[in-house]
């Protein structure tokens, strides 16, 4: 304690500025966490957090018994599952492909172009998606060639997931490859030399040097991704879904948005959101612990 | 070093390049289509159902004339510029100060502070409690609602802190001997030395504000405060184009220009960013460092 006091006297500015920054996080991040008690109340804006009636777990029970419960959980898991299956490996694959290219100008051009969709706003992307998958849209007509009979893909429930996942890949494959390219550049070049001397061909070099070299990065990104499994990008969902695709498109976060901010059921939607965050948090901790145990790589 | 490459290797490299070219084309096509459509003849465009690489019909700038006359697009554009400039200045400055303070080894509670800050990445109050907070702070329908709650991005903070930690302490010590204060050291030594990282963070924060839509959609309901993305959402998703202030012949043929105006507005909204990001591309790795997450 005296050590801290002495340190404070020496570095007053650091303490005051650091204190202000912590205050910022207390107000904008920790107060909302405290606001989660709403989930256990029948919160009314007029009564405030301290005046509202406590109802225990009633809001959670309401969610578990709601007809939406199964739908939003299943949709969230399926959409996230597909995303993990296709969208997670895609940028790793792209990084491997780019890494083999020796022509710098070509490599840089491909990078610039594939990064581009990441910088386009969600509103514009969803506007283009709707335009292309509407009746008579380019993609809808293309799908007809492959035997689809949907007049409009964006209004067909079975097309929502493919549209969502494929456009996700389109948006992020380039940008997400950056982290893996950086990891590839960090692989010790002497290892390749050694592998060549041992007579390893290109494929064996990839298998025994490249892959183990970036495995920790893949692992870290995977842990982060698993922590996000319950959080489907709801901005994109609420921009893309419509009354006819609700059955496959509605996810937990879009449901929270709808009942919370459109229907103003504050307590109920906070309960649904809290249920979601707790599962996410547990998933992240589990993924981290498993990775620590089996691959000695971990986030924290 | 010259190594003889077998036919298998050559085949692989050719296939590799072909896949990359196809991917690049796939990324480019929708954007190219949008540019081509924005210069197309409105009648031909309304009937077109193909991917365009070149304007269809007689090329025209009619769409741009309509967009330039549209008051809501103008207000939206100016508002967005304000949010981008104010939001980026506030955000990057606050992030830099925080990163600097928490990277000082002479600041004993630094690790504790980082713990408090990093935890917010793993767990947060979520949508509704955050909304209630912004509401009870009286920020609803104010410009601050788009700037304050998102001012410090923890990920950027960690990235910048890691960059600062890579700068040798001796520089700070010698500056201190010359009588420099902490602020001077931050602005004249640390920020310039970490400029590539700072530049990438500036770009990411600016793009975040430029493209941000959701916060505005829940915190604002006064039209004069709307950023461009909200106007875009009205035009693209709800098909609303306010034609007030446009000439009579255009207003009377609303449906005729509808598609054209959609594409033109998209172009106007994405061009500034598409012109900037390639220049910082080679530094992007500094902004997404995975190594920075740990610690």
């Amino acid at each position: 304690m005296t050590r801290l006091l002495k340190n404070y006297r020496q570095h007053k500015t650091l303490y005051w500025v650091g204190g202000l920054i912590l205050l910022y996080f207390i107000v904008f991040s920790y107060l909302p966490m405290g606001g989660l008690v709403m989930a256990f109340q029948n919160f009314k804006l007029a009564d405030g957090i301290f005046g509202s009636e406590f109802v225990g777990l009633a809001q959670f029970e309401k969610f578990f018994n709601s007809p939406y419960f199964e739908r939003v959980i299943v949709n969230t898991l399926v959409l996230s599952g597909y995303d993990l299956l296709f969208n997670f490996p895609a940028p790793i694959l792209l990084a491997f492909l780019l890494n083999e290219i020796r022509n710098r100008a070509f490599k840089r051009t491909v990078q610039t172009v594939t990064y581009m969709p990441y910088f386009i706003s969600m509103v514009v992307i969803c506007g283009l998606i709707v335009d292309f998958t509407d009746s008579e849209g380019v993609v809808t007509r293309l799908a007809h060639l492959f035997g689809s009979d949907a007049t409009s893909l964006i209004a067909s429930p079975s097309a929502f997931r493919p549209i969502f996942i494929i456009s996700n890949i389109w948006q992020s494959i380039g940008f997400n490859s950056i982290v893996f390219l950086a990891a590839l550049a960090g692989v010790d070049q002497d290892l390749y030399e050694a592998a060549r001397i041992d007579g390893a061909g290109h494929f064996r070099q990839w298998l025994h040097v490249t892959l183990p070299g970036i495995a920790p990065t893949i692992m870290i990104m995977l842990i982060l991704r698993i922590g996000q499994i319950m959080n489907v990008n709801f901005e994109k969902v609420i921009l893309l879904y419509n009354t006819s695709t609700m059955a496959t498109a509605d996810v937990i976060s879009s449901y929270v948005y709808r009942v919370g901010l459109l229907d103003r059921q504050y307590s109920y939607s906070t309960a649904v959101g809290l249920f979601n965050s707790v599962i996410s948090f547990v998933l992240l901790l589990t993924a981290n612990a498993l990775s620590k145990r089996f691959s000695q790589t971990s986030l924290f | 070093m010259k190594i003889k490459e077998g036919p298998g290797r050559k085949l692989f490299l050719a296939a590799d390049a072909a896949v990359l070219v196809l991917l690049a084309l796939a990324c480019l096509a929708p954007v190219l289509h949008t540019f081509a459509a924005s210069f197309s003849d409105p009648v031909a465009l309304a009937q077109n159902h193909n991917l365009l690489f070149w304007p269809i019909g007689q090329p025209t700038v009619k769409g741009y004339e309509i967009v330039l006359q549209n008051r809501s697009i103008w207000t939206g554009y100016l508002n967005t510029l304000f949010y981008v400039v104010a939001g980026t200045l506030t955000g990057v400055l606050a992030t830099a100060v925080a990163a600097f303070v928490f990277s000082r080894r002479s600041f004993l509670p630094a690790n504790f502070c980082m713990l408090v800050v990093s935890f917010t990445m793993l767990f947060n109050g979520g949508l509704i409690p955050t909304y209630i907070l912004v509401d009870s702070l009286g920020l609803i329908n104010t410009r601050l609602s788009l700037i304050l709650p998102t001012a410090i991005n923890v990920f950027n903070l960690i990235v910048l802190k890691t960059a600062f930690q890579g700068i040798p302490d001796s520089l700070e010590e010698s500056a201190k001997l010359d009588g420099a204060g902490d602020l001077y050291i931050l602005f004249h030594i640390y920020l310039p030395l970490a400029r590539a990282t700072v530049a990438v963070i500036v770009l990411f924060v600016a793009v975040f504000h430029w493209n941000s839509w959701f916060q505005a959609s829940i915190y604002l309901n006064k039209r004069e405060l709307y950023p461009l993305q909200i106007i875009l959402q009205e035009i693209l998703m709800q098909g609303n184009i306010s034609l007030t202030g446009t000439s009579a012949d255009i207003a009377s043929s609303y449906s005729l220009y509808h598609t054209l105006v959609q594409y033109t507005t998209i172009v106007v909204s994405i061009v500034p960013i598409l012109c900037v990001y390639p220049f910082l591309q080679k530094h992007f790795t500094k902004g997404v460092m995975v190594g920075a997450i740990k610690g």
Side-chain angles (χ1 to χ4, degrees):
Chain A
M1 208 60 218
T2 46
R3 203 165 132 253
L4 212 58
L5 210 64
K6 197 175 154 225
N7 187 243
Y8 167 72
R9 285 204 197 96
Q10 280 172 335
H11 303 283
K12 276 187 184 162
T13 339
L14 292 182
Y15 275 81
W16 279 97
V17 177
L20 273 178
I21 292 155
L22 280 195
L23 186 67
Y24 172 84
F25 279 96
I26 286 166
V27 171
F28 284 99
S29 299
Y30 284 87
L31 278 187
M33 281 186 224
L36 284 169
V37 292
M38 279 196 306
F40 306 95
Q41 292 177 327
N42 193 359
F43 176 81
K44 295 209 171 55
L45 214 46
D47 301 334
I49 291 271
F50 299 105
S52 293
E53 172 204 2
F54 258 90
V55 295
L57 295 174
Q59 305 288 4
F60 293 89
E61 276 166 34
K62 186 178 160 196
F63 177 50
F64 298 148
N65 294 322
S66 143
Y68 289 102
F69 177 72
E70 197 189 323
R71 178 171 102 175
V72 293
I73 300 260
V74 169
N75 284 343
T76 303
L77 290 177
V78 170
L79 214 48
S80 243
Y82 281 135
D83 199 68
L84 189 62
L85 199 63
F86 297 108
N87 198 10
F88 182 75
I92 305 177
L93 202 64
L94 174 60
F96 284 140
L97 292 180
L98 279 169
N99 197 44
E100 297 295 326
I101 298 293
R102 291 286 155 259
N103 183 329
R104 281 180 169 228
F106 176 69
K107 187 175 170 184
R108 206 169 42 235
T109 312
V110 172
Q111 283 178 283
T112 311
V113 174
T114 52
Y115 293 170
M116 186 169 58
Y118 182 84
F119 291 95
I120 297 176
S121 78
M122 197 57 90
V123 171
V124 167
I125 290 203
C126 292
L128 287 175
I129 293 174
V130 171
D131 193 42
F132 287 159
T133 55
D134 220 339
S135 54
E136 297 294 324
V138 178
V139 178
T140 306
R141 281 155 46 97
L142 195 70
H144 288 164
L145 297 179
F146 293 94
S148 144
D149 53 0
T151 40
S152 156
L153 285 178
I154 196 67
S156 110
S158 60
F160 185 83
R161 285 167 187 157
I163 290 176
F164 194 87
I165 302 299
I166 293 172
S167 57
N168 266 1
I169 298 177
W170 181 78
Q171 274 177 281
S172 61
I173 185 170
F175 195 82
N176 287 348
S177 71
I178 293 174
V179 87
F180 299 110
L181 278 170
L184 284 170
V187 176
D188 188 354
Q189 295 303 310
D190 293 344
L191 291 176
Y192 288 106
E193 192 59 44
R196 267 196 294 272
I197 292 168
D198 289 346
H202 284 284
F203 178 71
R204 289 189 152 267
Q205 286 175 35
W206 176 80
L207 192 66
H208 296 295
V209 179
T210 315
L211 204 55
I214 73 160
T217 307
I218 296 179
M219 216 52 223
I220 294 273
M221 296 313 281
L222 189 62
I223 298 171
L224 285 171
R225 184 65 194 77
I226 287 173
Q228 294 294 319
I229 276 190
M230 302 297 280
N231 305 338
V232 173
N233 187 332
F234 72 100
E235 286 191 30
K236 192 168 171 185
V237 173
I238 61 179
L239 282 169
L240 282 182
Y241 70 11
N242 49 53
T243 41
S244 42
T245 52
M246 279 293 195
T248 50
D250 199 17
V251 291
I252 303 177
S253 48
S254 59
Y255 182 60
V256 170
Y257 165 75
R258 214 169 48 251
V259 292
L261 290 177
L262 302 185
D263 302 344
R264 307 267 155 186
Q265 302 184 43
Y266 291 135
S267 278
Y268 176 57
S269 56
T270 304
V272 179
L274 177 58
F275 168 78
N276 195 14
S277 315
V278 168
I279 296 184
S280 290
F281 192 58
V282 172
L283 278 173
L284 182 71
L285 294 186
T286 314
N288 191 58
L290 284 178
S291 169
K292 201 176 204 167
R293 173 111 184 245
F294 293 110
S295 72
Q296 283 77 47
T297 313
S298 68
L299 202 53
F300 41 79
Chain B
M1 163 187 69
K2 199 124 173 118
I3 291 177
K4 261 213 191 112
E5 303 206 319
R9 179 69 185 164
K10 273 187 184 146
L11 197 67
F12 169 80
L13 285 176
D16 184 355
V19 170
L20 291 176
V21 167
L22 281 179
L23 181 74
L25 283 179
C27 286
L28 203 58
V31 181
L32 218 57
H33 171 83
T34 307
F35 274 88
S38 76
F39 290 103
S40 291
D41 176 65
V43 182
L45 181 66
Q47 287 157 1
N48 167 66
H49 303 298
N50 292 318
L51 204 56
L52 299 174
F53 294 98
W54 195 253
I56 188 168
Q58 183 68 36
T60 163
V61 290
K62 195 89 195 160
Y64 291 90
E65 280 172 25
I66 300 177
V67 165
L68 286 179
Q69 284 169 15
N70 188 308
R71 265 229 348 259
S72 10
I73 294 179
W74 268 108
T75 341
Y77 220 94
L78 291 177
N79 281 334
T80 290
L81 280 179
F82 173 82
Y83 296 130
V84 168
V85 173
T88 310
L89 270 179
T90 326
V92 174
L93 217 67
T95 308
V97 169
F100 180 73
V101 172
F102 297 159
S103 66
R104 300 303 79 208
R105 234 175 288 153
S106 49
F107 181 54
L108 281 181
N111 282 339
F112 167 76
C113 291
M114 278 315 288
L115 204 68
V116 171
V117 168
S118 309
F119 182 72
T120 64
M121 278 209 295
L122 308 180
F123 195 81
N124 60 60
L127 186 62
I128 308 300
T130 308
Y131 177 83
I132 302 279
L133 171 81
V134 172
D135 186 30
S136 42
L137 290 176
L139 294 178
I140 298 289
N141 270 323
T142 66
R143 292 180 189 273
L144 272 182
S145 68
L146 300 193
I147 294 171
L148 263 189
T150 49
I152 304 184
N153 175 314
V154 180
F155 185 81
N156 289 343
L157 168 57
I158 295 175
V159 167
L160 196 56
K161 182 189 149 240
T162 313
F164 284 168
Q165 280 168 336
I167 295 170
D169 287 340
S170 53
L171 286 172
E172 185 191 354
E173 281 153 21
S174 58
K176 281 226 159 119
L177 286 180
D178 292 340
D182 285 321
L183 270 184
Y184 185 91
I185 292 171
L186 168 61
F187 283 98
H188 288 88
I189 299 176
Y190 278 74
L191 283 182
L193 281 175
R195 63 180 168 269
T197 310
V198 175
V200 172
I201 290 177
V202 166
L203 175 78
F204 287 173
V205 174
V207 169
F208 165 79
H209 282 288
W210 186 276
N211 286 340
S212 167
W213 154 79
F214 185 69
Q215 275 84 6
S217 82
I218 62 172
Y219 295 147
L220 304 179
N221 53 43
K222 281 189 187 156
R223 285 198 74 82
E224 67 265 27
L225 297 178
Y226 280 179
L228 185 60
Q229 297 298 330
I230 298 278
I231 310 291
L232 265 170
Q233 190 222 348
E234 288 179 355
I235 295 178
L236 297 177
M237 311 304 276
Q238 299 160 11
N240 286 337
I241 304 173
S242 142
L243 289 173
T244 43
T246 47
S247 52
D249 65 310
I250 288 171
S252 68
S253 46
Y254 169 87
S255 59
L256 178 64
Y257 291 102
H258 183 222
T259 319
L260 179 66
V261 171
Q262 287 193 330
Y263 283 113
T264 318
T265 325
I266 294 183
V267 172
V268 173
S269 79
I270 62 176
V271 157
I273 289 179
L274 296 193
C275 292
V276 175
Y277 86 87
F279 295 101
L280 288 170
Q281 181 183 323
K282 66 170 186 246
H283 298 306
F284 282 175
T285 43
K286 294 204 166 71
V288 291
M289 250 182 337
V290 159
I293 294 173
K294 267 190 109 168

